[in-house]
Amino acid sequence: MSGTQLTLTLSGGSAADAQTVVRALESAFGPADESPGDDDGHSTVHTAAFTVGTESHAPGHPTREPLSAPVMVTVQGTPEAVRCAGATLTGTFTAHDRGSVSGDQEQERQLLLEP
């Protein structure tokens, strides 16, 4: 069975901060399919995506890298993938939950990550 997508939208901070967040999630989901690239400093929103299979995921334990500024992260995908991503991010960064929305088969969660 093909996997589904776990998508991230990141705002605030720099492209390097967005890459730091993606690297943290790679400890739980493997390499990202789509990752924020370096930019010229003008981008205000970055996106990333992971293919999530039917296997169970456990929160990762990445090495903590500092952020240069607060980053708002919106994670969208299956409830299990969103829970795992949330646990990985809250275990890696100082995080404040900004809410979640649940649908029939997808969930969305927003976290504010502090430097």
Side-chain angles (χ1 to χ4, degrees):
M1 178 180 274
S2 66
T4 59
Q5 288 281 5
L6 174 71
T7 58
L8 283 77
T9 305
L10 306 105
S11 59
S14 64
D17 290 326
Q19 291 166 354
T20 296
V21 173
V22 170
R23 279 193 300 275
L25 290 173
E26 287 177 341
S27 68
F29 296 102
D33 301 329
E34 177 186 325
S35 192
D38 292 325
D39 65 14
D40 58 7
H42 294 99
S43 295
T44 58
V45 176
H46 303 277
T47 60
F50 294 88
T51 297
V52 180
T54 57
E55 70 277 0
S56 178
H57 290 280
H61 302 286
T63 302
R64 189 184 193 303
E65 296 179 51
L67 299 172
S68 68
V71 176
M72 183 67 73
V73 180
T74 302
V75 183
Q76 183 179 16
T78 65
E80 181 181 341
V82 170
R83 276 191 299 276
C84 179
T88 299
L89 294 174
T90 58
T92 305
F93 302 100
T94 301
H96 305 282
D97 199 337
R98 294 295 188 229
S100 63
V101 178
S102 295
D104 286 345
Q105 297 179 23
E106 279 197 342
Q107 188 175 43
E108 182 177 292
R109 183 173 180 193
Q110 197 168 59
L111 295 165
L112 176 63
L113 307 180
E114 297 283 346

